[in-house]
Amino acid sequence: MDYEIVTQTADTGEIVYSYKDSTKKVPLNSLYSPSLEANRFIKKLDKNNRKVYIFIGIGNSTLIKNIIKNTRSYIHLYIIEPFEQVLADSEFIDLVKTSRNVTFEYYKNWFMLDFMTFIEKFNSTDTEIIIHPHYEKTKTGHLKEIINKLNQGIKLVTINNNTERRFRKDWILEPLLNLQYTMGAHSIKELKDKYRGKSAILAASGPSLKENMTFLKEAQNSAYIFAAGSAVNGLTNNGIIPDFVTSFDSGDINYDTHFKESNYKGPLIAGSVINSNILKHHEGPIIYAQLTLDDITRRVIKDKYSFPPVPSVAVFTLQIMQFLGFSKIYLVGQDLAYINGKYYAQGVNETDASKKVNADITVKSNNGGMVDTSYSLYSFLESFEFLINHIDQNEMTIYNTSRNGAYIKGTTFVEPNSINISDELGIKDIALDLKAAQASEAGINEGLKIIDELEEFSETLHDANKSLSRLNPKAVSITDIKKVSKIFSTLRNHTIFEDIITQRMSSIVQRIRNLFLYKLDDNQTTNDDRIMMVEEIQRLVTSSEKFIESLLNDNRVIKYKAQYKDKQNANPV
């Protein structure tokens, strides 16, 4: 560490922390009076526009305590302390514990995914990043890193929201089409902890996969090999048959590029929103894994456990490996970076999008240098680190074999040729009795039932839209608000709306929630406030109606009905 944190005493007798390095010494509060400094600072806060403040630095806690106790100009106060040697005093800690709208983290304990969840929660509210007075005079590079991380998190939230909009139809229609297969498939719960104490290899499709083929071939009789999605081609094209293949990608491109020409017939661990063509054409066993973002399957299959959403199939695969009980994991081809400008390993089928890669940022590499990556791959990296941080290191050890790939915190780099396979990987001795999945009539009927519900609710939404359109858009009375509330309550009584549609409209729903929580005063609403309320609810209802129309008019639904509806009508139960 090239700096130290020391203490000084202000003229008022208050203790002040100071940053000290070889060139400077910077007090982190006023040496005249931290309290007066706090009072002056509070007056600068925008009291006419409540905001979410992301505050960097606490100093001796005086400024932050005064903000918490003496102002309500913030919706939420999110505080990050860059220096772990700066200790929060007990009064400040108590204020944080008792305040529902204050969050405090030391940067050493900060995780991008937690921050992204925070940003998503406060969708549509004004957000401002503030640096504590004097902190910007300290270790400039350290503060720049923190600010860059915050801005990257905000950007990744935007990317995630765009992903949600892009896949919102697929995340309903693909699990609906999959019901005929998932209802007759094996559940991942059948394999929970079955591999405790065993070793496994998580093979991803990054550039280093190709250079580690010798290790994979030598290890395939000792460690269980998991091919994460597109890696199945990279392995099978080199004569390696994985023990398991995992996937949850919903798009047709996933099937067309990575699975259509694959001859893999072993166990497929399928996240429940997986593209239905993959399940339809897979000739081997299917092991179904419920995902929390899948609201369709949950209505039919009442699994108590489901896997939280993650941005990549490799992270999903690590979740699965933990669930199955593996104690030692080797990451192969998990570069999370562009190696010589390449995204995929040689031998892996590429999508058009993967050929047009752009480096957005650089991250630390396992070789001690820096390596180019993209915002998408960076989100994968953050997800890996978040998951690993929550894994008991005594139960699972994770090694990374990608010398030139991104460093993943919580893993240990190891040269594949240094691994004593027989001693360190053990043997494969667990046999599975798994049957190939077949389409079930029960699953088909459940899919048709959900389509019927969507058609009925589409008419309900149409009627609600007609009622809302009769309101005067320039003058909304209290009586009008009561009518709107009644219409909205009626819609929410439909489980298809509450459990499925609004889940895919989360950004709009969150904006409405934040509007009522932070922007409007129920006791003193103006005409403009009431107009805003009605406009937001109209937006949700209109968007929901258009969304359901797009679902029902989708070729997948039309073909599904044509294939099965006539047969059902001809043979009623």
Side-chain angles (χ1 to χ4, degrees):
M1 189 168 62
D2 57 358
Y3 68 90
E4 61 178 324
I5 300 296
V6 298
T7 57
Q8 293 180 255
T9 304
D11 292 347
T12 56
E14 297 170 85
I15 298 297
V16 172
Y17 288 100
S18 291
Y19 168 92
K20 183 181 179 182
D21 62 23
S22 59
T23 62
K24 58 183 175 292
K25 183 179 181 181
V26 180
L28 300 182
N29 288 92
S30 167
L31 289 177
Y32 168 64
S33 173
S35 297
L36 287 176
E37 178 184 51
N39 292 334
R40 287 195 300 268
F41 188 88
I42 288 174
K43 291 178 182 179
K44 297 178 183 179
L45 295 181
D46 186 357
K47 297 181 181 179
N48 297 320
N49 186 14
R50 296 182 68 208
K51 297 180 179 180
V52 172
Y53 287 113
I54 301 171
F55 210 97
I56 301 176
I58 62 173
N60 69 352
S61 303
T62 299
L63 175 58
I64 304 297
K65 287 189 296 187
N66 281 5
I67 292 175
I68 296 172
K69 291 190 291 186
N70 300 322
T71 180
R72 288 294 175 264
S73 62
Y74 60 88
I75 294 171
H76 198 98
L77 194 59
Y78 186 101
I79 309 158
I80 302 173
E81 173 51 52
F83 308 114
E84 60 186 279
Q85 300 87 355
V86 173
L87 303 180
D89 70 26
S90 58
E91 183 185 6
F92 169 68
I93 294 298
D94 289 341
L95 284 171
V96 171
K97 288 179 179 178
T98 57
S99 299
R100 290 185 297 176
N101 58 345
V102 179
T103 300
F104 172 61
E105 290 279 2
Y106 281 98
Y107 183 60
K108 68 170 185 174
N109 300 324
W110 183 87
F111 272 95
M112 178 72 80
L113 292 188
D114 287 334
F115 177 68
M116 290 169 61
T117 300
F118 170 82
I119 291 296
E120 288 172 345
K121 178 180 178 182
F122 292 99
N123 174 36
S124 80
T125 60
D126 294 329
T127 301
E128 182 178 350
I129 297 176
I130 297 176
I131 301 176
H132 191 292
H134 307 284
Y135 268 67
E136 56 190 11
K137 301 174 186 178
T138 62
K139 192 177 182 182
T140 306
H142 193 43
L143 286 182
K144 185 178 180 181
E145 175 188 333
I146 295 172
I147 293 171
N148 284 343
K149 288 273 193 177
L150 295 174
N151 287 326
Q152 288 164 7
I154 293 169
K155 184 175 182 66
L156 288 173
V157 168
T158 301
I159 292 173
N160 286 350
N161 288 337
N162 290 337
T163 300
E164 180 185 278
R165 284 190 288 272
R166 178 184 172 191
F167 288 104
R168 60 171 47 152
K169 281 177 62 176
D170 289 345
W171 290 344
I172 288 179
L173 295 185
E174 293 303 330
L176 186 152
L177 301 176
N178 285 337
L179 285 173
Q180 59 188 298
Y181 307 108
T182 51
M183 287 191 71
H186 293 277
S187 169
I188 192 68
K189 293 187 298 184
E190 297 175 33
L191 305 184
K192 181 171 173 55
D193 293 328
K194 193 173 185 68
Y195 293 86
R196 187 156 297 283
K198 296 297 180 180
S199 298
I201 295 172
L202 194 169
S205 53
S208 66
L209 176 65
K210 179 65 176 178
E211 65 191 54
N212 286 318
M213 283 298 169
T214 299
F215 166 66
L216 289 167
K217 289 176 180 179
E218 292 175 350
Q220 63 182 331
N221 293 322
S222 297
Y224 296 85
I225 298 179
F226 286 69
S230 56
V232 63
N233 290 312
L235 295 177
T236 57
N237 289 343
N238 283 277
I240 298 172
I241 306 302
D243 297 279
F244 299 94
V245 171
T246 58
S247 183
F248 68 82
D249 290 338
S250 303
D252 285 334
I253 195 170
N254 184 40
Y255 170 69
D256 293 335
T257 305
H258 303 307
F259 286 90
K260 190 173 184 179
E261 303 299 328
S262 172
N263 292 317
Y264 175 74
K265 298 180 181 180
L268 171 66
I269 300 178
S272 53
V273 300
I274 191 173
N275 184 268
S276 54
N277 282 317
I278 297 175
L279 300 192
K280 179 180 180 180
H281 296 288
H282 184 62
E283 296 182 25
I286 294 172
I287 302 170
Y288 145 86
Q290 172 75 55
L291 304 181
T292 56
L293 60 79
D294 172 14
D295 306 297
I296 291 290
T297 313
R298 187 162 43 249
R299 290 167 64 90
V300 179
I301 302 176
K302 306 299 182 182
D303 273 356
K304 292 182 179 179
Y305 185 87
S306 57
F307 293 86
V310 289
S312 82
V313 68
V315 182
F316 168 68
T317 306
L318 187 59
Q319 290 178 320
I320 294 292
M321 290 169 142
Q322 180 191 15
F323 188 79
L324 300 187
F326 287 100
S327 61
K328 190 181 292 185
I329 306 293
Y330 292 85
L331 305 180
V332 176
Q334 191 56 58
D335 301 293
L336 298 175
Y338 301 136
I339 310 299
N340 297 321
K342 294 293 185 180
Y343 179 86
Y344 278 136
Q346 182 182 352
V348 174
N349 295 347
E350 294 190 66
T351 65
D352 289 337
S354 69
K355 298 175 184 177
K356 303 172 183 176
V357 298
N358 292 302
D360 299 310
I361 53 178
T362 59
V363 294
K364 294 178 182 178
S365 170
N366 287 311
N367 63 20
M370 303 295 288
V371 64
D372 290 336
T373 191
S374 67
Y375 280 115
S376 294
L377 291 176
Y378 181 71
S379 73
F380 301 169
L381 172 62
E382 290 286 343
S383 295
F384 256 108
E385 293 183 344
F386 183 82
L387 174 58
I388 291 170
N389 183 66
H390 290 81
I391 291 175
D392 187 338
Q393 302 301 306
N394 294 319
E395 294 186 0
M396 179 185 284
T397 305
I398 304 173
Y399 299 95
N400 194 348
T401 64
S402 174
R403 167 170 286 281
N404 298 313
Y407 167 68
I408 304 173
K409 186 178 180 180
T411 68
T412 301
F413 171 72
V414 60
E415 292 281 6
N417 58 15
S418 70
I419 300 171
N420 187 316
I421 290 175
S422 59
D423 290 343
E424 297 182 38
L425 273 64
I427 57 173
K428 294 197 299 189
D429 57 2
I430 296 175
L432 297 178
D433 182 18
L434 301 175
K435 65 180 184 298
Q438 296 180 343
S440 72
E441 186 173 344
I444 293 170
N445 291 336
E446 289 292 343
L448 291 171
K449 185 188 300 183
I450 292 172
I451 292 172
D452 288 342
E453 287 186 64
L454 288 169
E455 290 174 337
E456 292 173 10
F457 189 63
S458 179
E459 296 178 9
T460 303
L461 280 172
H462 182 70
D463 292 340
N465 251 328
K466 285 175 61 177
S467 298
L468 291 171
S469 67
R470 297 190 189 104
L471 298 175
N472 185 342
K474 296 183 180 179
V476 177
S477 67
I478 296 296
T479 301
D480 291 333
I481 289 294
K482 291 180 179 178
K483 290 179 182 177
V484 171
S485 297
K486 185 176 180 180
I487 290 170
F488 192 55
S489 295
T490 300
L491 294 177
R492 292 191 62 181
N493 286 332
H494 291 259
T495 57
I496 200 86
F497 182 64
E498 189 75 358
D499 298 343
I500 296 177
I501 303 303
T502 58
Q503 300 304 314
R504 304 279 68 84
M505 300 281 178
S506 60
S507 59
I508 300 177
V509 173
Q510 190 64 51
R511 186 169 60 243
I512 292 175
R513 176 184 178 276
N514 290 341
L515 172 68
F516 280 83
L517 280 177
Y518 308 122
K519 298 281 187 179
L520 303 175
D521 185 335
D522 292 338
N523 297 319
Q524 297 179 357
T525 56
T526 65
N527 182 60
D528 288 344
D529 292 336
R530 294 191 291 273
I531 290 174
M532 193 186 304
M533 292 182 199
V534 173
E535 286 177 344
E536 289 295 333
I537 291 176
Q538 281 180 315
R539 180 184 303 183
L540 176 61
V541 175
T542 301
S543 298
S544 298
E545 183 181 8
K546 290 180 179 178
F547 180 50
I548 290 182
E549 286 178 0
S550 73
L551 292 173
L552 295 173
N553 292 324
D554 190 282
N555 284 334
R556 288 168 286 185
V557 171
I558 293 171
K559 290 180 180 178
Y560 189 84
K561 289 176 63 178
Q563 183 176 2
Y564 297 118
K565 191 74 171 178
D566 292 342
K567 180 179 178 182
Q568 187 187 62
N569 291 336
N571 300 285
V573 177

